[in-house]
């Protein structure tokens, strides 16, 4: 039988901003002052840009390109003074870092002056954010005085072009996004197991062979098959030069990353002699970490990598060269006579010291070229290369250790700035997983508490990492980075004391409109409708409350009727029968988020429930233990927050039905996703009790019925019994066996609902 279904509508309206509130700049400037007498300067196609100094053409050009793309006109640029102009200039300022600027918007002019070219450029970025978010011909800009300067010297975004390849046109757009957020580093991840993406003239096979793979897995790793479609591409050196020059005009430094000794499958496919086994190797078609790494015992490998760097380094004016160093399995080295010989000859302790030798040898070469090596935090293992800069990704630990050893560090912890993580619990595209909201990114503090003032100076800044396993097209990259990259820009630019989430939220509403203006894709997860499910007062059924974070800031709930089919949501909904509820959120009249909540009501729903062993902290369910009897199952597999999870322990739950009643079966809804270490229980046993202390076993089963999205159901039927307390024990799978992902670790047990009938 189909369940009944009701539809609800929620409406939010942005409050119209007063002229005073029109300054919505991200990242928030250090000082914004509105003059006592408010007013507006109007930019039209007749407004001149006056350059009051040399070297300001980049700023004028960017302004004109933006005006052309967004509003369809450009301004005349001149070095002669003219009335009613936008003046670009310089001023001396005494801040710790370069890039400061002042801006005044007055009746008769806009004045922007930086302490260097970049400073003026950043002032222009602020001006662009004072323009209307509608495509109009007369651009009214509010009178304002701004004084601004950056907090960190390294404000970066990375892009992985190995897993998926992006055209030059998109890389340029990415650079525009970086520039418009006053960020100044682009970390270009150019080589991977799945593709070598930069032309090396001495070794054309690197891109001819290593630039292409014969297929790609379909769906989330380990995937549902392979598309068997050749995929690849690479950047010619001419294209690299074009991109580096494009970046330079935006005051962005491009850091190339050439991965070693791991993530080398594509290079080894082209040159099998550089691996420990001699191959054959293949350009990888799936994701993960591979044992095919550069041999550390073979001098030809070092000669080869030096040749590669000989061509790469002259293309990039950056002080830094990134050599990766992450995720290098030591398996091949353990079995390789050349690697073992090297360990013996040099008196190294183990393969970790061999990796350290590898990086240190490359560092000498890179230093010899006047450049500084950057590596992921694994380069700490076995001893840090003397002058290396560490990029801390496995949390902050590596960054803290490196700073304590007086090395410069760039913070990129997975927990806060991996922009490949999901930013919603309702993700309907495939992502690598995780859950990192825009608010979490905004909360990131790059200086760890563990560092003293001197050590903290080694934290150059932070960077958002964009790994593209699950980003095949530019629109997906945009969807993943926005609005989180906007939040990160404020973390990196604005003073710590000024960090203010509600204020950011207010400005974010305008930023969403700006993305629309740019034609940029972005995630609307910020508006997500969330369901909170609580027991009904009499423990008979549940109450559904709908919420959205977007209620904060200058947005109000305005209940109202939108169509006869969608009554307005005005109060929490009582649920006593099986039902599907579909709610839609309207923001400014536009459908912005929706939520589908299905309820199956059993004798257990809404009742009191306890568990003997607590869940893991990060898998505590939606609404805690009550989630086991809230009538709501996950409808989308592992990403749902309905799951309660135990890593190792059994689940032992006791449900108090309130009074003795006739029961004849129990159903347990679980997740069976073994590649993610989540296993079905060995068996489930059900017990009954009249008093809550003496229990009798009613039945036990290990039979699992599979459902979609790796979910499954376990039903334990038994002879009809009268009982008040039902105890359900699900026996954890135990240790994961050899050869499986997570082998040797404790398996997870995930349960989201227990039904009693
Ligand atoms: C990394 O995410 N493997 C640096
Ligand atoms: Zn070897």
């Amino acid at each position: 039988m189909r369940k009944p279904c009701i539809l609800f509508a929620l409406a939010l309206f942005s409050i119209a901003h007063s002229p005073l509130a029109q300054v919505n700049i991200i990242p928030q400037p250090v000082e914004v002052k509105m003059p006592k007498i408010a007013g507006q300067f109007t930019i039209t196609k007749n407004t001149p840009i006056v350059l009051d100094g040399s070297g300001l053409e980049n700023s004028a050009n960017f302004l004109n390109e933006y005006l052309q793309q967004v509003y369809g006109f450009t301004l005349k640029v001149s070095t002669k003074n003219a009335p009613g102009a936008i003046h670009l200039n310089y001023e001396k300022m005494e801040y710790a870092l370069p890039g400061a600027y002042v801006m005044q918007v007055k009746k008769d002019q806009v004045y922007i002056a930086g302490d260097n070219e970049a400073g003026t450029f950043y002032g222009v970025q602020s001006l662009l954010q004072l323009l209307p978010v509608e495509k109009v011909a007369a651009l009214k800009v509010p009178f304002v005085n701004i004084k601004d300067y950056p907090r960190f010297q390294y404000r970066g975004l990375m892009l992985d072009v190995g897993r998926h390849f992006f055209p030059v046109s998109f890389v340029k757009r990415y650079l525009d996004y970086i520039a418009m957020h006053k960020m100044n580093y682009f970390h270009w991840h150019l080589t991977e197991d799945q593709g070598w993406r930069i032309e090396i003239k001495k070794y054309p096979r690197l891109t001819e062979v290593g630039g292409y793979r014969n297929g790609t897995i379909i769906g989330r790793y380990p995937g549902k098959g392979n598309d068997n479609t050749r995929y690849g591409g690479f950047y010619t050196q001419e294209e690299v030069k074009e991109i580096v020059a494009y970046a330079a005009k935006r005051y962005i430094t491009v850091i190339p990353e050439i991965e070693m000794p791991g993530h080398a499958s594509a290079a080894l496919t082209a040159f099998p002699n550089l691996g420990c086994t001699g191959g054959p190797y293949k350009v990888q078609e799936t994701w993960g970490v591979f044992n095919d790494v550069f041999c550390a015992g073979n001098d030809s490998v070092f000669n080869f990598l030096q040749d590669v760097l000989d061509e790469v380094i002259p293309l990039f004016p950056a002080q830094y060269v990134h050599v990766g160093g992450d995720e290098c399995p030591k398996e091949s080295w353990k079995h390789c006579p050349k690697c073992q010989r090297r360990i013996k000859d040099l008196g190294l302790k183990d393969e970790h010291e061999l990796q350290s030798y590898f990086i240190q040898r490359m560092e000498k070469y890179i230093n010899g070229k006047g450049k500084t090596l950057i590596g992921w935090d694994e380069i700490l293992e076995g001893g840090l290369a003397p002058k290396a800069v560490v990029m801390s990704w496995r949390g902050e630990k590596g960054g803290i250790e490196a700073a304590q050893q007086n090395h410069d560090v760039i913070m990129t912890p997975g927990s806060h700035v991996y922009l490949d993580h999901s930013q919603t619990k309702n993700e309907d595209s495939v992502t690598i997983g995780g859950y990192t909201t825009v608010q979490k990114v905004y909360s990131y503090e790059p200086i760890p508490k563990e560092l003293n003032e001197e050590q903290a100076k080694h934290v150059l800044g932070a960077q958002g990492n964009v790994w593209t396993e699950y980003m095949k097209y530019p629109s997906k990259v945009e969807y993943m980075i926005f609005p989180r990259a906007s939040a990160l820009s404020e973390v990196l630019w604005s003073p710590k004391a000024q960090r203010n989430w509600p204020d950011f939220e207010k400005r974010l509403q305008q930023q969403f409109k700006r993305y629309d203006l740019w034609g940029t894709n972005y995630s609307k997860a910020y508006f997500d409708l969330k369901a909170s499910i609580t027991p009904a007062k009499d423990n008979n059924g549940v109450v559904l409350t709908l919420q959205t974070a977007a209620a904060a800031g200058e947005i109000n709930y305005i209940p109202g009727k939108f169509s006869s089919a969608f009554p307005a949501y005005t109060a929490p909904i009582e649920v006593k029968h099986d039902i599907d509820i579909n709610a839609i959120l309207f923001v400014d009249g536009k459908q912005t988020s929706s939520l589908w909540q299905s309820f199956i009501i059993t004798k257990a729903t809404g009742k009191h429930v306890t568990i003997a062993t607590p869940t893991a902290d990060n898998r505590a369910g939606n609404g805690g233990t009550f989630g086991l009897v809230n009538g709501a199952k996950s409808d989308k597999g592992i990403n749902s927050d309905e799951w309660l999870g135990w890593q190792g322990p059994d689940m032992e739950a006791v449900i108090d039905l309130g009074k003795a009643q006739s029961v004849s079966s129990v159903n347990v809804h679980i997740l069976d996703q073994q590649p993610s270490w989540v296993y079905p229980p060995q068996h489930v046993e059900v017990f009954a009790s009249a008093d809550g202390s003496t229990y009798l076993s009613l039945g036990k089963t290990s039979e699992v019925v599979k459902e979609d999205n790796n979910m499954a159901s376990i039903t334990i039927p038994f002879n009809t019994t009268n009982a008040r307390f039902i105890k359900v024990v699900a026996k954890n799978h135990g240790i994961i066996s050899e050869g499986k992902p997570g082998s040797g670790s404790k398996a997870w047990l995930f349960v989201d609902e227990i039904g009693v009938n």
Side-chain angles (χ1 to χ4, degrees):
M1 196 190 70
R2 267 188 63 79
K3 279 181 289 178
C5 166
I6 37 173
L7 304 158
F8 277 97
L10 266 76
L12 301 178
F13 288 103
S14 307
I15 286 177
H17 293 285
S18 66
L20 269 181
Q22 272 179 2
V23 177
N24 288 293
I25 297 172
I26 293 176
Q28 175 66 27
V30 174
E31 191 181 292
V32 177
K33 284 193 178 148
M34 312 297 290
K36 277 202 195 72
I37 299 171
Q40 289 166 330
F41 178 92
T42 303
I43 301 174
T44 69
K45 59 184 193 325
N46 299 319
T47 305
I49 299 174
V50 175
L51 307 183
D52 295 325
S54 61
L56 294 165
E57 292 77 9
N58 290 336
S59 289
N61 291 345
F62 194 94
L63 175 56
N64 262 337
E65 281 164 28
Y66 186 92
L67 292 176
Q68 178 62 43
Q69 277 175 33
V70 176
Y71 304 101
F73 65 87
T74 57
L75 308 179
K76 286 217 169 57
V77 182
S78 145
T79 50
K80 282 206 201 74
N81 200 1
I86 299 170
H87 287 264
L88 303 183
N89 205 334
Y90 297 109
E91 270 188 30
K92 226 171 127 72
M93 280 169 257
E94 303 290 331
Y95 298 113
L97 293 175
Y101 68 94
V102 292
M103 168 157 63
Q104 288 129 29
V105 180
K106 301 192 281 202
K107 189 153 155 274
D108 55 347
Q109 68 165 356
V110 175
Y111 172 82
I112 298 172
D115 66 349
N116 63 5
E117 285 181 31
T120 311
F121 183 80
Y122 297 142
V124 165
Q125 302 314 313
S126 287
L127 175 62
L128 298 182
Q129 295 196 30
L130 295 175
L131 302 179
V133 290
E134 298 83 30
K135 289 183 188 274
V136 289
L139 308 178
K140 292 189 181 345
V141 182
F143 292 173
V144 68
N145 290 319
I146 293 177
K147 193 184 285 177
D148 202 10
Y149 53 85
R151 177 177 173 205
F152 287 103
Q153 62 177 283
Y154 189 105
R155 307 179 299 278
L157 270 188
M158 170 273 220
L159 184 66
D160 162 19
V161 296
R163 273 55 176 265
H164 283 108
F165 175 75
F166 298 94
V168 169
S169 59
F170 180 67
V171 176
K172 288 181 175 174
R173 195 162 169 92
Y174 200 77
L175 289 164
D176 286 342
Y177 294 144
I178 292 174
M180 289 193 285
H181 288 86
K182 303 187 177 85
M183 295 169 96
N184 61 350
Y185 278 94
F186 171 50
H187 169 179
W188 203 3
H189 185 79
L190 283 163
T191 71
E192 255 309 334
D193 292 305
Q194 295 84 4
W196 182 284
R197 305 279 178 236
I198 178 170
E199 176 191 30
I200 301 297
K201 292 186 196 289
K202 183 162 184 186
Y203 301 110
R205 278 179 64 81
L206 275 174
T207 42
E208 281 167 13
V209 174
Y212 296 86
R213 58 181 182 252
N214 289 327
T216 305
I217 59 157
I218 298 168
R220 177 198 286 274
Y221 174 86
K224 297 190 178 108
N226 187 306
D227 67 11
N228 295 313
T229 304
R230 184 173 146 89
Y231 179 92
F234 64 93
Y235 305 97
T236 64
Q237 293 194 1
E238 282 312 302
E239 288 171 327
V240 169
K241 284 182 201 160
E242 187 183 328
I243 283 169
V244 168
Y246 190 90
K249 287 184 183 149
R250 286 151 182 77
Y251 304 96
I252 297 167
T253 303
V254 186
I255 299 177
E257 181 181 354
I258 305 294
E259 272 267 20
M260 59 190 82
H263 289 287
S265 301
L268 297 188
T269 309
F271 296 100
N273 61 308
L274 303 179
C276 289
T277 63
Y281 300 102
K282 74 168 187 176
V283 184
Q284 301 294 350
E285 298 167 19
T286 183
W287 320 127
V289 171
F290 302 89
N291 285 332
D292 303 338
V293 305
F294 287 115
C295 178
N298 179 354
D299 281 337
S300 315
V301 166
F302 294 94
N303 294 334
F304 164 83
L305 288 170
Q306 288 169 10
D307 289 344
V308 167
L309 292 179
D310 283 349
E311 292 194 33
V312 169
I313 286 173
L315 296 171
F316 295 89
Q319 178 57 36
Y320 301 114
V321 178
H322 202 308
V323 298
D326 60 320
E327 298 180 324
C328 178
K330 308 297 183 290
E331 209 42 44
S332 313
W333 292 358
K334 279 186 189 145
H335 301 112
C336 169
K338 290 196 200 94
C339 287
Q340 290 306 313
R341 163 111 253 151
R342 179 91 75 195
I343 287 178
K344 203 153 155 261
D345 287 353
L346 299 175
L348 304 176
K349 197 165 87 214
D350 57 13
E351 286 75 19
H352 291 292
E353 289 199 355
L354 184 59
Q355 155 131 354
S356 175
Y357 159 80
F358 196 115
I359 299 292
Q360 296 205 30
R361 181 160 166 182
M362 291 313 298
E363 183 186 50
K364 271 205 199 84
Y365 192 75
I366 288 169
N367 289 166
K369 301 233 158 198
K371 301 279 178 170
T372 304
L373 175 146
I374 302 183
W376 298 108
D377 58 49
E378 283 93 333
I379 68 169
L380 279 149
E381 293 162 13
L384 201 46
K387 296 180 184 131
V389 175
V390 171
M391 234 177 220
S392 190
W393 72 280
R394 296 174 301 175
E396 298 190 310
K397 193 169 150 280
I400 293 166
E401 257 176 57
Q404 287 167 343
Q405 293 179 34
N406 294 322
H407 283 253
D408 284 348
V409 305
I410 296 155
M411 302 304 275
T412 70
S415 56
H416 287 77
V417 294
Y418 264 47
L419 305 185
D420 55 344
H421 288 185
S422 294
Q423 48 194 321
T424 171
K425 291 274 173 81
N426 297 322
E427 185 55 67
D428 55 9
S429 67
V430 181
T431 73
I432 206 157
Y435 178 54
T436 306
T437 62
V438 59
Q439 188 168 6
K440 185 162 184 196
V441 172
Y442 191 80
S443 75
Y444 183 56
E445 172 46 41
I447 307 272
K449 287 188 289 293
E450 289 82 350
L451 299 183
N452 65 31
E453 203 172 318
E454 271 314 297
Q455 293 160 344
K457 288 185 186 150
H458 287 295
V459 178
L460 304 179
Q463 170 177 290
N465 287 344
V466 183
W467 303 102
T468 58
E469 285 92 336
Y470 302 106
M471 304 180 206
K472 189 168 178 180
Y473 301 107
S475 59
K476 180 73 184 279
V477 174
E478 294 176 344
Y479 169 81
M480 295 304 289
I481 66 172
F482 291 126
R484 294 184 293 193
S486 299
L488 179 62
S489 77
E490 189 149 312
V491 167
L492 291 168
W493 179 278
S494 309
K496 185 181 175 192
Q498 261 171 252
R499 200 101 62 80
N500 180 330
W501 170 250
D503 190 72
F504 178 79
E505 265 188 299
K506 194 191 73 182
R507 286 177 283 118
L508 184 58
Q509 309 312 312
Q510 207 70 3
Q511 189 71 13
F512 285 132
K513 293 182 180 153
R514 238 168 250 142
Y515 302 144
D516 286 333
L517 191 68
W518 300 341
T520 295
N521 198 14
Y522 59 96
S523 165
K524 298 187 176 68
Y526 167 78
F527 293 100
D528 275 359
L529 275 175
K530 294 197 177 82
S532 150
I533 306 168
T534 48
K537 272 204 190 75
D538 58 359
N539 288 97
N540 178 19
V542 297
V543 174
L544 170 67
T545 306
L546 299 176
Q547 295 159 324
T548 166
E554 286 195 27
I555 293 184
N556 280 1
Y557 279 98
I558 311 277
K561 218 172 164 68
F562 283 85
S563 96
S564 52
F566 285 70
Y569 170 85
T570 52
I573 307 158
E574 284 213 351
V575 180
K576 296 204 183 291
H577 307 285
D578 291 3
I579 194 167
D580 291 338
I581 290 177
N582 186 12
I584 293 177
L585 172 72
F586 292 88
V587 177
D588 292 339
K590 271 192 262 174
Q591 186 171 325
T592 304
S593 172
S594 66
L595 178 141
W596 181 269
Q597 186 66 62
S598 193
F599 288 94
I600 299 194
I601 307 299
T602 75
K603 287 172 179 160
T605 314
K607 299 298 188 294
H608 187 66
V609 59
T610 55
I611 50 176
T613 309
T615 58
D617 285 346
N618 59 345
R619 281 295 179 183
N622 182 13
T625 312
F626 178 68
L628 288 175
V629 293
N630 67 359
K633 294 178 188 175
S634 163
D635 61 351
K636 51 180 174 277
I638 195 165
N639 280 334
S640 167
D641 56 1
E642 280 296 322
W643 299 108
L644 281 80
W646 293 263
Q647 192 181 13
D650 305 336
M651 179 200 74
E652 183 180 321
V654 173
I655 301 162
D656 178 358
L657 299 178
K659 58 178 195 291
Q661 7 191 331
S662 145
V663 292
S664 58
S665 74
V666 164
N667 177 273
V668 181
H669 196 240
I670 63 150
L671 189 77
D672 177 4
Q673 188 165 317
Q674 300 180 15
S676 308
W677 309 16
V678 184
Y679 281 69
Q682 294 179 34
H683 58 252
V684 178
E685 187 164 9
V686 177
F687 303 84
S689 167
D691 57 6
S693 63
T694 312
Y695 282 90
L696 209 68
S697 175
L698 295 177
K700 176 170 155 177
T701 187
S702 51
E703 202 173 309
V704 174
V705 179
K706 283 192 183 298
E707 298 175 359
D708 286 348
N709 284 325
N710 299 320
M711 297 187 293
S713 177
I714 300 172
T715 302
I716 310 94
F718 42 82
N719 293 331
T720 304
T721 310
N722 229 36
R724 174 172 167 180
F725 297 94
I726 301 288
K727 185 194 289 188
V728 182
V729 179
K731 181 90 187 137
N732 194 297
H733 172 85
I735 300 296
I736 298 170
S737 56
E738 199 54 40
K740 299 274 173 62
S743 72
S745 297
K746 293 174 183 168
W748 283 87
L749 169 65
F750 271 34
V751 180
D752 67 348
E753 192 69 12
I754 301 173
V756 175
N757 286 300

